[in-house]
């Protein structure tokens, strides 16, 4: 009996020892690595989508062959005006295939929400008038699209550079504001009106190259037809060039007006009727320039919100038209550097 008891005790001790060794080895092993997280599918937009809200960094997609340069990001605007309109939303425009905007002619892209407004200014740049518009936009810390005439751009490249420096989008509006549904028109050059025959594609491309030359940097692949007369063959041409076409939702008809109050009344009454839209006014017109600040105040008081249409890519000019612009200017392209960086006094 005594031997049996001793044997049982030894067996118990051995079992405890074995289990102890097993538990020690498990405790010494490294913890298993966690399973890799499952990749979540991303939002896959169709290529060539016309409008993208830039709530975050824009996605990268293959660039069209003739649109090799993404537009640089606009500099953030600091605003000291507590009552400023500002910019409520920025949308990025992929101009691949030449989408059209403005319900007067195009119905495909209804992206504006109720109360949203896109401001567009035609026919500049022009002394006093365009700077007054720029000052009003700056005071309200907001952005617009400008459609300058190429010839005006060569007269006032410094003003157009100010438009670009303020972060506005700059498209084009032909070389000499010709009605492209015709083959002959009148062109005011240096104060003299000439009747000229023209090629519509030349009018488009000369305007694009002139604006690009005046800005001295990237410009938008945006185009507006003079008088909003847009032949189908030219719509097709701009589509191949990946240039968006702008009509309008609200045409102020400010070129018929002489008083700032008339411009304000026209825009606000039409906005009240439509509720939202792309607004067409002219920074070339004195009445519009004088109305600009009060018009922006009216928009703010009316609860309207500004949307800025930022192009995804910059426009690509055609070399032969760039050269034609330089010949038109009868001289080499001016040096954009300040004189202080070119000429330095070494001794006196």
């Amino acid at each position: 009996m005594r031997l049996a008891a001793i044997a049982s005790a030894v067996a118990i001790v051995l079992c405890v020892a074995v289990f102890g060794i097993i538990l020690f080895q498990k405790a010494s092993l490294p913890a298993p690595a966690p399973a890799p997280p499952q990749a979540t599918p991303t939002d896959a937009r169709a290529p060539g989508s016309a409008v993208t809200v830039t709530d975050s960094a824009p996605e990268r997609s293959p660039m069209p062959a003739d649109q090799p340069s993404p537009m640089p990001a606009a500099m953030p605007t600091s605003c000291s005006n507590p009552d400023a309109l500002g910019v409520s939303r920025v949308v990025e425009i992929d101009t691949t295939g030449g989408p059209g905007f403005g319900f007067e002619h195009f119905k495909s892209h209804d992206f504006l929400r109720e109360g949203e407004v896109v401001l567009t200014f035609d026919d500049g740049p022009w002394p006093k008038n365009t700077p007054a518009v720029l000052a009003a936009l700056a005071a309200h810390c907001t952005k617009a699209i400008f459609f300058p005439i190429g010839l005006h751009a060569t007269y006032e490249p410094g003003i157009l550079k100010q438009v670009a420096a303020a972060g506005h989008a700059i498209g084009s509006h032909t070389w000499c504001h010709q009605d492209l549904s015709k083959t002959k028109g009148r062109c005011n050059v240096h104060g003299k009106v000439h009747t000229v025959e023209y090629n519509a594609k030349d009018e488009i491309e000369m305007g694009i190259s002139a604006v690009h030359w005046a800005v001295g940097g990237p410009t938008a692949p945006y185009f507006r037809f003079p008088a909003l007369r847009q032949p189908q063959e030219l719509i097709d041409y701009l589509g191949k060039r990946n240039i968006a076409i702008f009509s309008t939702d609200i045409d102020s008809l400010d070129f018929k007006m002489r008083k700032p109050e008339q411009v304000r009344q026209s825009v606000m009454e039409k906005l009240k009727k439509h509720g939202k839209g792309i607004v067409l006014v002219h920074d070339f017109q004195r009445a519009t320039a004088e109305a600009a600040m009060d018009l922006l105040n009216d928009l703010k008081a009316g609860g309207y919100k500004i949307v800025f249409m930022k192009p995804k890519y910059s426009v690509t000019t055609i070399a032969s038209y760039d050269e034609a612009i330089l010949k038109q200017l009868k001289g080499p392209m001016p040096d954009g550097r300040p004189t202080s960086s070119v000429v330095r006094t070494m001794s006196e």
Side-chain angles (χ1 to χ4, degrees):
M1 291 292 294
R2 190 172 181 181
L3 289 174
I6 293 171
S8 298
V10 170
I12 291 170
V13 170
L14 288 173
C15 287
V16 170
V18 169
F19 278 114
I21 292 171
I22 292 172
L23 289 173
F24 176 78
Q25 287 178 338
K26 285 187 175 182
S28 302
L29 290 174
Q38 295 295 315
T40 56
T42 57
D43 175 24
R45 294 190 181 94
S49 56
V51 182
T52 302
V53 182
T54 55
D55 294 325
S56 58
E59 63 183 31
R60 295 293 181 184
S61 63
M63 299 178 192
D66 66 341
Q67 303 277 3
S69 302
M71 285 293 289
M75 295 296 291
T77 302
S78 59
C79 194
S80 58
N81 179 5
D83 298 318
L85 266 172
V87 175
S88 68
R89 190 161 66 106
V90 178
V91 295
E92 184 182 76
I93 306 301
D94 182 346
T95 60
T96 304
F101 299 96
F103 262 49
E104 187 166 327
H105 292 93
F106 304 105
K107 314 296 184 186
S108 297
H109 301 297
D110 184 13
F111 69 96
L112 290 177
R113 303 163 186 165
E114 190 69 17
E116 290 188 332
V117 173
V118 175
L119 295 172
T120 68
F121 293 88
D122 286 12
D123 293 0
W126 205 248
K128 296 184 180 179
N129 297 344
T130 304
V133 168
L134 287 176
L137 293 170
H140 269 277
C141 307
T142 195
K143 304 294 182 191
I145 305 173
F146 286 76
F147 292 95
I149 296 171
L151 192 59
H152 289 180
T154 65
Y155 294 164
E156 299 292 342
I159 295 178
L160 209 52
K161 285 180 172 64
Q162 292 174 30
V163 177
H168 304 291
I170 303 175
S172 60
H173 195 41
T174 73
W175 165 248
C176 196
H177 204 267
Q178 300 298 327
D179 180 347
L180 298 186
S181 65
K182 302 177 180 179
T183 58
K184 184 182 291 187
R186 303 175 71 192
C187 188
N188 189 329
V189 181
H190 302 297
K192 297 180 180 180
V193 177
H194 303 273
T195 298
V196 295
E197 292 187 8
Y198 54 86
N199 176 290
K201 292 179 183 178
D202 290 347
E203 266 287 305
I204 292 172
E205 296 296 351
M206 285 282 285
I208 293 171
S209 288
V211 168
H212 190 267
W213 166 83
V215 170
T219 52
Y222 293 170
F223 180 81
R224 179 174 272 154
F225 283 91
L228 301 179
R229 293 175 183 167
Q230 35 201 41
Q232 185 60 50
E233 64 269 21
L234 295 180
I235 292 176
D236 295 341
Y237 174 75
L238 290 166
K240 293 175 183 176
R241 290 278 280 115
N242 294 323
I243 294 173
I245 303 168
F246 279 73
S247 178
T248 185
D249 298 309
I250 296 162
D251 189 346
S252 67
L253 302 177
D254 58 345
F255 59 90
K256 298 180 178 181
M257 301 168 186
R258 295 293 175 264
K259 296 180 179 180
E261 295 79 13
Q262 294 174 313
V263 179
R264 293 168 58 191
Q265 183 178 6
S266 174
V267 172
M268 297 308 296
E269 285 184 354
K270 291 177 180 179
L271 260 179
K272 185 177 181 181
K273 178 181 178 181
H274 292 280
K276 62 179 182 179
I278 298 172
V279 175
L280 192 167
V281 286
H282 296 78
D283 55 312
F284 177 76
Q285 299 295 330
R286 180 177 58 83
T288 301
E290 292 176 353
M293 183 64 77
D294 287 332
L295 176 57
L296 297 180
N297 292 338
D298 292 343
L299 291 171
K300 176 67 177 180
Y304 293 98
K305 299 181 182 299
I306 301 299
V307 172
F308 180 52
M309 297 175 71
K310 177 186 178 296
K312 188 171 187 177
Y313 304 109
S314 62
V315 73
T316 299
T317 60
I318 296 175
S320 60
Y321 289 101
D322 294 340
E323 294 168 3
I325 291 299
L326 296 183
K327 290 179 181 177
Q328 183 76 25
L329 296 170
K330 295 182 173 63
M333 186 177 293
D335 191 337
R337 295 174 296 168
T339 301
S340 59
S341 70
V342 178
V343 180
R344 185 164 63 95
T345 300
M346 300 299 294
S347 64
E348 289 185 343

